């Protein structure tokens, strides 16, 4: 989920740092989005309510839609964009501890680390089997 451009997206900050940032605000419904520390490619929607930070995992489908991971038996909702997902959860009674009210925006874009590594562009002269690319190898497995 590279190239996230939502103003509340803070990138790969830790859960602890997230809780510090939200707790400073002391406003119920303050939220931010960060990268999941436990599931690569997932995001976390973190919401402050009464001195507790609630964390909800956001997943992106292979078609590009976003959803908040739900408990078994709870119907999932899918959204075309992260902005649409956030808009939905700003409404009351949508299943979160509290509805989203205050976006905690990241301070400065230039302070954000590079969130996505540069893609490896194949060298057209090689057959790509075990080609050394800065210590990485491309390995073909048998069919």
């Amino acid at each position: 989920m590279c190239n996230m451009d939502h103003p509340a997206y803070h990138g790969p900050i830790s859960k602890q740092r997230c809780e510090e940032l939200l707790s400073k605000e002391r406003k119920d419904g303050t939220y931010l989005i960060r990268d999941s520390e436990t599931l690569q490619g997932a995001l976390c929607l973190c919401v402050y309510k009464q001195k507790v930070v609630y964390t909800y995992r956001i997943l992106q489908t292979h078609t590009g839609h976003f959803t908040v991971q739900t408990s078994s038996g709870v119907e999932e909702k899918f959204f075309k964009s992260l902005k649409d997902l956030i808009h939905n959860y700003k409404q009351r009674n949508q299943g979160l501890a509290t509805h989203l009210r205050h976006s905690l925006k990241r301070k400065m874009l230039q302070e954000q680390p590079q969130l996505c590594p540069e893609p490896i562009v194949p060298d057209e002269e090689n057959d790509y089997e075990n080609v050394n690319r800065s210590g990485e190898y491309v390995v073909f497995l048998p069919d």
Side-chain angles (χ1 to χ4, degrees):
M1 280 194 225
C2 295
N3 300 322
M4 300 305 299
D5 59 359
H6 195 280
Y9 176 64
H10 286 247
I13 64 170
S14 68
K15 178 181 179 180
Q16 180 180 352
R17 178 68 179 141
C18 167
E19 290 175 353
E20 289 170 6
L21 291 170
L22 290 171
S23 295
K24 275 187 196 177
E25 296 297 311
R26 295 186 182 152
K27 291 182 191 173
D28 287 355
T30 302
Y31 68 94
L32 66 78
I33 301 166
R34 64 176 175 84
D35 291 341
S36 172
E37 293 178 292
T38 56
L39 185 61
Q40 186 175 6
L43 298 172
C44 291
L45 172 61
C46 304
V47 187
Y48 180 87
K49 180 183 178 188
Q50 297 177 355
K51 300 182 182 179
V52 177
V53 175
Y54 295 86
T55 302
Y56 303 91
R57 187 174 285 154
I58 299 174
L59 304 174
Q60 190 172 19
T61 67
H62 67 282
T63 60
H65 288 82
F66 293 90
T67 186
V68 172
Q69 191 174 29
T70 61
S71 302
S72 179
V74 176
E75 183 181 352
E76 280 186 285
K77 297 178 185 177
F78 294 91
F79 304 92
K80 290 182 180 179
S81 68
L82 198 54
K83 182 179 177 181
D84 291 344
L85 182 145
I86 296 299
H87 177 75
N88 178 76
Y89 288 103
K90 285 186 174 185
Q91 310 306 313
R92 294 180 185 272
N93 303 318
Q94 296 300 311
L96 303 183
T98 186
H99 64 285
L100 306 179
R101 292 184 228 171
H102 314 284
S103 168
L104 184 64
K105 295 175 178 61
R106 59 186 177 263
K107 294 291 182 197
M108 299 181 76
L109 292 175
Q110 60 266 33
E111 290 180 7
Q112 290 292 310
Q114 183 179 353
L115 301 176
C116 303
E118 289 295 318
I120 296 174
V121 179
D123 181 355
E124 301 208 7
E125 296 177 11
N126 293 313
D127 66 356
Y128 313 119
E129 188 168 333
N130 296 325
V131 176
N132 188 342
R133 294 195 201 308
S134 305
E136 295 180 3
Y137 289 88
V138 177
V139 179
F140 286 92
L141 300 175
D143 293 333

